[in-house]
Amino acid sequence: MNQCMEKSGASSAVRPVRRFIKDTRGATAVEFAMVSLPFLMMIFGMIALGVHFLTSYVLENSADRVARMIRTGEVVTSQITVAGFKQKVCDNAFAIIKCDLVLAVHVQTWNSFSAVTPVNCLKPDGTLAPSTGSDTSLISQFAGAANQIVLVTLCYESKIAGLIPFLDLGKMNNGAALLQTSVTFRTEP
């Protein structure tokens, strides 16, 4: 009799476990819970990368437009300051680049293309290097004369690109990512 009780007691304890294993009513919720986190990470990662590449494209386009002002001599005739030149960059960048965030403009002149040496946008401590000259300096002081080689470099701290955890996009010491673009050309006579 004891054996029968032991068997029936053991089988009654196993039955709920077997029922639980065979039950499929919550399978969809469990599968969704397992798949949703990687899926959402992938979606938000694609959105963040899209915004990063859009910002990079807009910065490059803006660099081309403002560099044309130097190439054609417009900065000499209009007496644009470094701060005004930065504002032109921001005006050409629409609402993507925030002017209240850090943007540095570097303008260098050279005598030949082989002598061109790009500027480093970061100081040794990982912060953004200041723009060429002071904000009140005229940009024409750095733009060179006719038929000279000019290198215009724009450096921008992108906060959104710094938020992408799995990509190293030139991280700065404050967590932002550095976006840098350069345009090299010969000024018109």
Side-chain angles (χ1 to χ4, degrees):
M1 186 125 195
N2 265 346
Q3 286 180 338
C4 287
M5 288 175 120
E6 285 177 18
K7 283 185 182 179
S8 65
S11 63
S12 64
V14 173
R15 272 189 229 144
V17 173
R18 284 185 185 158
R19 259 188 286 140
F20 179 74
I21 292 173
K22 290 182 180 181
D23 191 7
T24 60
R25 286 180 289 176
T28 305
V30 171
E31 289 170 1
F32 178 75
M34 291 180 351
V35 173
S36 64
L37 182 63
F39 176 72
L40 290 174
M41 285 177 59
M42 183 179 70
I43 294 296
F44 289 126
M46 285 191 306
I47 291 170
L49 276 175
V51 169
H52 169 70
F53 287 125
L54 177 66
T55 305
S56 180
Y57 171 76
V58 167
L59 188 67
E60 289 173 14
N61 189 31
S62 184
D64 286 338
R65 289 180 182 211
V66 296
R68 187 176 188 327
M69 295 173 63
I70 294 174
R71 186 178 319 131
T72 60
E74 185 181 340
V75 295
V76 175
T77 59
S78 59
Q79 301 294 310
I80 297 174
T81 62
V82 172
F85 197 71
K86 281 186 198 180
Q87 188 57 47
K88 294 276 187 193
V89 170
C90 293
D91 292 346
N92 285 310
F94 312 110
I96 300 295
I97 293 180
K98 305 289 185 204
C99 288
D100 58 336
L101 297 177
V102 181
L103 172 71
V105 176
H106 302 278
V107 180
Q108 301 169 292
T109 57
W110 308 93
N111 292 323
S112 69
F113 280 104
S114 61
V116 173
T117 306
V119 68
N120 191 357
C121 284
L122 293 179
K123 294 190 286 189
D125 64 353
T127 59
L128 198 65
S131 293
T132 302
S134 66
D135 281 347
T136 57
S137 301
L138 293 177
I139 201 75
S140 59
Q141 294 173 347
F142 311 104
N147 290 321
Q148 270 196 311
I149 308 303
V150 178
L151 173 65
V152 177
T153 305
L154 302 180
C155 309
Y156 177 68
E157 282 186 31
S158 176
K159 300 290 184 190
I160 186 121
L163 298 176
I164 305 172
F166 49 87
L167 290 178
D168 185 15
L169 297 170
K171 300 266 193 238
M172 301 175 70
N173 67 353
N174 62 358
L178 175 69
L179 292 180
Q180 176 178 341
T181 187
S182 298
V183 180
T184 307
F185 55 89
R186 182 182 300 273
T187 57
E188 294 179 1

